[in-house]
Amino acid sequence: MLDVECLDLSSMMLGNRLEEYLQGADSRLTSLNLKYNQIDKAGMACLARFLTSYRITSIDLSGNPIGAEGALILSDVLHSTYVSTVSLRYAGLGAEGAVHLSRALISSQITSLDLAGNKIGDEGVCAIVSILPFTSINFLGLMDNGFGKMAVTSVSTFLPRSRITSLDLRYNDLTDGFQILCEQLPFTKITTLDIRFTSIGTLGAKCLSEYLPQTKISSIDLIANLLGAIGIKYIANVLSKTSITTINLGRNQIGIDGLKALACQLPKSSVKSIDLANNGIRQAGVVCLAEILPFTKITSIDLSKNGIDDRAVVVFTRCLKKTQICFIDLRHNNISDEGATCFLDWIAFDDRNVVNLTGNHAISLTLLDKVDTTIATNQTIAKWTTFLMGRRRSDIKWLNQDVLHHIH
């Protein structure tokens, strides 16, 4: 008898052996993880019977070849289950599978639906979003589904009438129809928007900036959208008029000009977490940031892969105690012992402070030992750790799992 509320059977390649693993499951079971198990139509038939017999509220079927037929089987029983969270990422649903699901959503209890990587296209997206106003769904994941303007237009049309607060559209080309989406955002309940890798470019940034101040968005991901310095300026100029506290701008080729424009606006904004990774910031950019960070609300900053060297770190660390920053990501830069040493005093200054220096291979083991000594002398070392050279020392027993989760 399995005495669990959460059952993780992921990556076990169960296939047609699924039923024997589910037999005797504890009646208190509420969460079921079946990722990557080669579950097909036959497996879905077995699972359908199981779902109607237990009070499962969360199920993850990602990476299984469920296909349209499997989606139909699941759809037929959803109304008879307690399932509220469903993940069907990369399950081969196609447009037909999405259509089957859409017909069952209205009578289900689903509040979170992730359909990433199913290539449902315009037809599938239109089918799903058209019924949103009649459901309780507040999270919708449509990442990497190969849709175009028709789907974007449909999303824009039905979002204002839905309960969606979190929307994931990454890895889709939003070039066509993006303006329509932006125009409707102020009329939605969306607080979290993920549109990384969507090719919106400078023009998309300009359009988005015109409507952001009118939205409820507090977290936005714009990674890898070729915004450039001009696009960043559009976004930066309206930051103080928005509710945004988390903004990801990595891999956007913003350079020093874009960074300067952003730096001017950050002290006026509500931003607490910012990702500027892989933007060619280098020493000049770090110096610019050091001047304004003490006047911001920022607590977490990602500066990884920016060509930052020891000279930049020396300048940067001088301002840290005057800031609210407690987490810094400096992975894969050009930092050596000289730069890493500068963080020792800051780490000891506050037990919340964490710096990630993974991938800076010029940092020596001698310096690593010095950092460990600093950690050991802190009175509340249970709350933090420091990563150097991509290693986790086996003799550190106080690694806080919340910190580790945040870093990774």
Side-chain angles (χ1 to χ4, degrees):
M1 185 75 171
L2 296 173
D3 186 17
V4 291
E5 293 184 11
C6 301
L7 181 57
D8 187 349
L9 297 174
S10 59
S11 303
M12 293 183 66
M13 302 301 174
L14 299 180
N16 56 15
R17 297 178 296 135
L18 178 61
E19 187 167 8
E20 64 181 88
Y21 276 84
L22 293 180
Q23 285 180 348
D26 195 291
S27 60
R28 293 170 294 176
L29 184 66
T30 59
S31 180
L32 187 58
N33 186 350
L34 294 171
K35 290 190 295 186
Y36 308 112
N37 268 298
Q38 297 181 337
I39 297 172
D40 55 12
K41 177 184 175 181
M44 288 303 295
C46 166
L47 181 61
R49 294 191 295 272
F50 181 81
L51 289 177
T52 56
S53 302
Y54 284 77
R55 300 177 70 92
I56 303 295
T57 58
S58 176
I59 185 166
D60 192 339
L61 289 163
S62 300
N64 289 292
I66 291 170
E69 291 182 297
L72 177 58
I73 293 171
L74 178 62
S75 300
D76 286 342
V77 300
L78 273 179
H79 69 281
S80 302
T81 72
Y82 294 89
V83 175
S84 59
T85 299
V86 180
S87 182
L88 292 166
R89 297 164 64 93
Y90 297 92
L93 304 187
E96 184 181 354
V99 171
H100 290 323
L101 275 176
S102 69
R103 293 169 181 161
L105 291 176
I106 295 177
S107 58
S108 75
Q109 299 186 41
I110 292 178
T111 58
S112 176
L113 179 62
D114 195 343
L115 298 173
N118 280 289
K119 306 304 179 187
I120 64 177
D122 287 348
E123 181 185 357
V125 172
C126 291
I128 293 293
V129 300
S130 64
I131 53 85
L132 287 179
F134 311 105
T135 73
S136 299
I137 296 174
N138 53 53
F139 167 76
L140 180 61
L142 294 173
M143 178 184 87
D144 190 20
N145 266 297
F147 54 78
K149 184 176 181 179
M150 181 185 298
V152 177
T153 302
S154 186
V155 169
S156 306
T157 300
F158 292 102
L159 274 181
R161 289 184 274 160
S162 76
R163 299 184 183 183
I164 299 293
T165 57
S166 180
L167 182 63
D168 184 353
L169 296 175
R170 57 192 153 140
Y171 293 99
N172 291 291
D173 190 341
L174 301 183
T175 306
D176 292 331
F178 188 63
Q179 181 171 348
I180 300 173
L181 177 61
C182 291
E183 291 172 354
Q184 294 303 312
L185 284 176
F187 306 105
T188 72
K189 299 178 178 65
I190 293 177
T191 57
T192 301
L193 180 63
D194 192 339
I195 50 174
R196 66 186 110 161
F197 291 91
T198 52
S199 306
I200 65 171
T202 301
L203 292 178
K206 180 180 180 181
C207 181
L208 183 61
S209 68
E210 294 173 3
Y211 297 97
L212 266 181
Q214 305 165 45
T215 72
K216 299 178 179 66
I217 294 174
S218 59
S219 176
I220 188 165
D221 197 326
L222 293 164
I223 288 175
N225 271 300
L226 300 176
L227 303 186
I230 296 176
I232 289 296
K233 289 177 183 178
Y234 285 129
I235 300 296
N237 288 338
V238 299
L239 268 183
S240 63
K241 303 174 185 177
T242 73
S243 303
I244 293 175
T245 57
T246 298
I247 185 166
N248 296 333
L249 298 169
R251 294 183 62 175
N252 269 299
Q253 303 175 359
I254 69 175
I256 186 61
D257 290 338
L259 183 65
K260 286 180 178 179
L262 184 62
C264 289
Q265 301 300 324
L266 283 175
K268 308 172 190 176
S269 76
S270 300
V271 173
K272 294 182 179 181
S273 176
I274 187 166
D275 178 354
L276 294 169
N278 202 1
N279 269 304
I281 289 174
R282 301 187 183 278
Q283 182 179 0
V286 172
V287 171
C288 180
L289 284 172
E291 293 175 354
I292 59 95
L293 284 174
F295 308 103
T296 72
K297 299 179 179 67
I298 293 174
T299 59
S300 175
I301 186 167
D302 186 343
L303 295 171
S304 59
K305 298 181 180 180
N306 268 301
I308 296 171
D309 58 17
D310 291 338
R311 293 174 300 170
V313 168
V314 170
V315 175
F316 188 64
T317 51
R318 287 174 185 163
C319 81
L320 284 180
K321 289 185 181 180
K322 303 174 185 178
T323 73
Q324 298 182 45
I325 293 175
C326 57
F327 176 77
I328 308 169
D329 191 338
L330 284 167
R331 290 173 297 164
H332 303 289
N333 279 293
N334 302 321
I335 301 170
S336 68
D337 282 12
E338 180 183 354
T341 302
C342 295
F343 286 103
L344 290 172
D345 188 42
W346 176 72
I347 292 170
F349 178 68
D350 192 315
D351 60 14
R352 299 171 300 170
N353 294 343
V354 175
V355 58
N356 186 354
L357 293 168
T358 300
N360 289 279
H361 301 297
I363 300 175
S364 67
L365 286 173
T366 301
L367 193 280
L368 177 61
D369 289 335
K370 287 184 180 179
V371 173
D372 286 348
T373 300
T374 305
I375 292 174
T377 57
N378 191 290
Q379 294 182 349
T380 52
I381 54 181
K383 295 183 179 179
W384 54 272
T385 186
T386 298
F387 281 70
L388 290 175
M389 298 178 66
R391 303 164 188 244
R392 297 179 194 173
R393 287 177 63 89
S394 59
D395 57 340
I396 298 179
K397 305 299 184 183
W398 48 81
L399 298 185
N400 183 286
Q401 294 303 311
D402 291 335
V403 171
L404 292 180
H405 175 73
H406 178 62
I407 289 176
H408 295 297

